[in-house]
Amino acid sequence: MIEAIAGSAFADSLSAAGAAKPGPASGFENVLTQLEKSENSLGTLLNDVATGQAGSLHQVMLKMEETRMQFELFMQARNKVLEAYQEVMRMQV
């Protein structure tokens, strides 16, 4: 499962977060956009399950787990950036 996420578009956008524009804010915007798209597609799949139109419950569960792991990866990256910022702010000049 980790290999699947490592090769996903989300991981690519996370690794190339600063490639489009300089600065960490643009990188996080790109990753958040990708995460939002993933959550929206999951919502569509969950609606299909609720209405009985989903073809495979397994695919829905895989997409749910993938979205959860993407969110956790984003939160870990966010926490690391926040820790680095706090460390810089603690430095004495």
Side-chain angles (χ1 to χ4, degrees):
M1 186 65 169
I2 292 174
E3 293 83 17
I5 289 179
S8 72
F10 179 79
D12 294 341
S13 67
L14 185 61
S15 64
K21 296 185 276 185
S26 63
F28 276 107
E29 288 175 13
N30 294 340
V31 172
L32 278 174
T33 302
Q34 184 67 30
L35 184 59
E36 183 179 15
K37 287 178 185 177
S38 180
E39 287 178 347
N40 288 340
S41 66
L42 175 62
T44 302
L45 285 173
L46 289 175
N47 285 338
D48 289 348
V49 167
T51 59
Q53 297 174 349
S56 172
L57 185 60
H58 298 291
Q59 292 298 328
V60 175
M61 294 302 293
L62 285 173
K63 183 66 175 175
M64 189 181 305
E65 186 65 17
E66 180 183 340
T67 302
R68 184 189 67 79
M69 291 180 74
Q70 288 175 348
F71 182 75
E72 285 183 13
L73 177 63
F74 170 75
M75 289 303 296
Q76 288 178 6
R78 176 205 161 263
N79 290 341
K80 289 291 185 183
V81 169
L82 188 58
E83 286 175 19
Y85 172 77
Q86 289 171 345
E87 186 67 28
V88 167
M89 295 308 292
R90 281 193 292 262
M91 288 183 186
Q92 294 181 359
V93 179

